[in-house]
Amino acid sequence: MTDDDWTIPEITVAVDLAILTVKAGSLQIMLVKRGIPPFEDELALPGGFLESTAEDLDSAAARELTEETGLRAEDLHLEQLKTYGGLGRDPRGRVVSVCYVAFTPNLPAPAAGGDAREVILTPVDDVLRPQVTMAFDHKEIVADAVERARNKLEYTTLGATFCAPEFTITDLRQVYEIVWGERLDPRNFHRKITSVPGFLTPTGGRVTRQAGRPAALYRRGPATILHPAMLRT
Amino acid sequence: MTDDDWTIPEITVAVDLAILTVKAGSLQIMLVKRGIPPFEDELALPGGFLESTAEDLDSAAARELTEETGLRAEDLHLEQLKTYGGLGRDPRGRVVSVCYVAFTPNLPAPAAGGDAREVILTPVDDVLRPQVTMAFDHKEIVADAVERARNKLEYTTLGATFCAPEFTITDLRQVYEIVWGERLDPRNFHRKITSVPGFLTPTGGRVTRQAGRPAALYRRGPATILHPAMLRT
DNA sequence: CCAAAAGTGTTCCTCTTACACCCATGA
DNA sequence: TCATGGGTGTAAGAGGAACACTTTTGG
C-alpha cells in the first residue's frame, strides 16, 4: 500500500458462505431464498456484511455461519475461498464480498434459524445447470467452491470432514465418488487410504450397513495432508 | 448474502501486490519504502485503495501494478492471493486488503515511476528473517505469496514466467532450485520437463553461457498445468 | 587434450491399476 | 447355502531417483 489520499470510497464489504455437504448421494450446498429485493425470491449464498468494529474476516464468517445455519465453526472446516468485487454484482452499490467455503458432514437439519428466511440444501449439480440463475454472482462462487472441494480431496484429508464422526472406508470412498462424480475401485481405495499414516484411526467398532462382511469404523486422524496424493484420472 | 440493514460500515478496501521475480540467484520481491505515516520509512507492498466507481478487483490490481512499477499486467501472471482483514492491521482505520501475487522475469529496472517514493527489490529470505519488520501485516502476506509460488511450481507451468522470453532448460531448473531452495538433478529435470507436452516449444536457437555444450533455447508453450506434477521431496 | 555443461540410457524402486481371490455376515 | 459387501494378494506398467555415459562446446 502506498497510502496518501485518505478518503473513504463508498464500498461495502460482505462475507458470503458456500457450505458444502454430502447427502443422499450428491454434493449439496446450503442456500437461502431471498426475502427482499434485490433478487427477491432468488437463491443466494448465506452471508452478510462485515461489521467494521469488532471482527476480523474469519470471525465474521464464523458469526454468519452460526447466525444463518446454527452450525458452529469449530465443528467444521471453514476456509477463505476468494474475494469477488465485480462492478455490477450488486445493484445497490459497490459491494466486495469475501467468500468462504465450509465442509460439513450430513447436516442434522437446515434449521432455518437466525436471519435467514428460508434455508435449503440443494445438489450443486442442480444449481449449476445453465438454465438456473442465482442472485448476484453467486452461481460463479458456487462453481469455484465446488472446484476447490474437488481439488482439496486430492491432496488433503478433507474428505473425512464430509463424514460422520465415525465412518467406514466405504463411506469415505463414496464421498470421493460423489464429489468427483467418478467411480473408484473399492479395493485400491481401501489399500491406499489405510496406508496414509495418521489419516484414519480405527475405533475398533464394526458395522454392517446392508449385507456382507461388517466394515471397520474409523475416526479422523491427525494427518491433514495426503501423501502421496489421491489423483483423479 | 442476506441483505437487510443497508448501512455503509466504515471499511476501506485496498489492493496490494506481491510481485515476485528471480534475480541474482534469489527469489526477490518488489517493495516500497513508505514516505508518510503510518509506518513511515518502513517497507511495504505496493498497492493502493480500490476506486469504487470504475474498476473491478483485477483491474485495480493491474492499475496499481502499472502505476507503481511501470509493468504491464499483460506481460506477467497476476492472480488473487488472499484477502486480509485483521482488526489492527491499519492504525488509520478498518482496511480490508485484497492481495494479488505477480510472477515476472528478471525485471528491466524497478523504475520507481508513479506514486511510489522508492521502489526496491529484496530477496524474500532477507525480508522474512525474524528480526525484519514490515508495515501493516505485509510480512505475513509476503510469506503467503512465497508459499503460493512454491506450490504452483509443482503443478503448473508457472516456472517459465520467471524466465526471459527465450530460455534454456538450465535457466528453468535454476528457477525451481531458487524458489524451492533445493538442488535438483539436471538430468532428470531435463527429461521430465521435456516430456510434458506443450510446456516448452524449441526455438531452434542455441546458446553457450559459460562453457560446455550449447543449450537449446525454448519459449513457453501453450500448456498451463504440469502433468504429471513436479513434486518436491 | 581437458574441463564443463548438455543431454541420453539404464537400473532400481515406489506407487498405481486391474483384477483374482478370500472373509464374514444376513437371509 | 448363497448373495453381498469388506478386505488382501499379486502381477504389469508408469513414473521417480540415482547415476554411468555420451555429446559438444571453449580454452
Side-chain angles (χ1 to χ4, degrees), chain A residues 1-3 6 11 16 34 36 45 47 49-52 55 57 68 80 82-83 85 92 94 138, chain B residues 1-3 6 11 16 34 36 45-47 49 51-52 55 57 68 80 82-83 85 92 94 138:
Chain A
M1 298 207 3
T2 52
D3 47 79
W6 176 251
I11 302 178
D16 289 324
R34 288 180 58 81
I36 63 166
L45 295 172
F49 295 114
L50 176 64
E51 293 174 5
S52 58
E55 56 183 6
L57 295 172
E68 306 224 8
Q80 196 182 302
K82 194 182 159 183
T83 298
R92 293 168 297 186
R94 191 68 200 280
H138 287 189
Chain B
M1 295 207 2
T2 52
D3 47 76
W6 175 251
I11 302 177
D16 289 324
R34 289 181 57 82
I36 64 167
L45 296 172
F49 295 115
E51 295 174 5
S52 58
E55 57 183 7
L57 294 171
E68 304 225 10
Q80 196 181 302
K82 194 182 161 185
T83 298
R92 294 168 297 186
R94 192 67 202 279
H138 286 189

Side-chain angles (χ1 to χ4, degrees), chain B residues 111-135:
Chain B
D115 279 1
R117 270 136 299 290
E118 193 180 348
V119 181
I120 55 174
L121 270 179
T122 329
V124 293
D125 291 344
D126 290 356
V127 169
L128 293 178
R129 263 193 257 283
Q131 62 269 32
V132 174
T133 60
M134 285 187 73

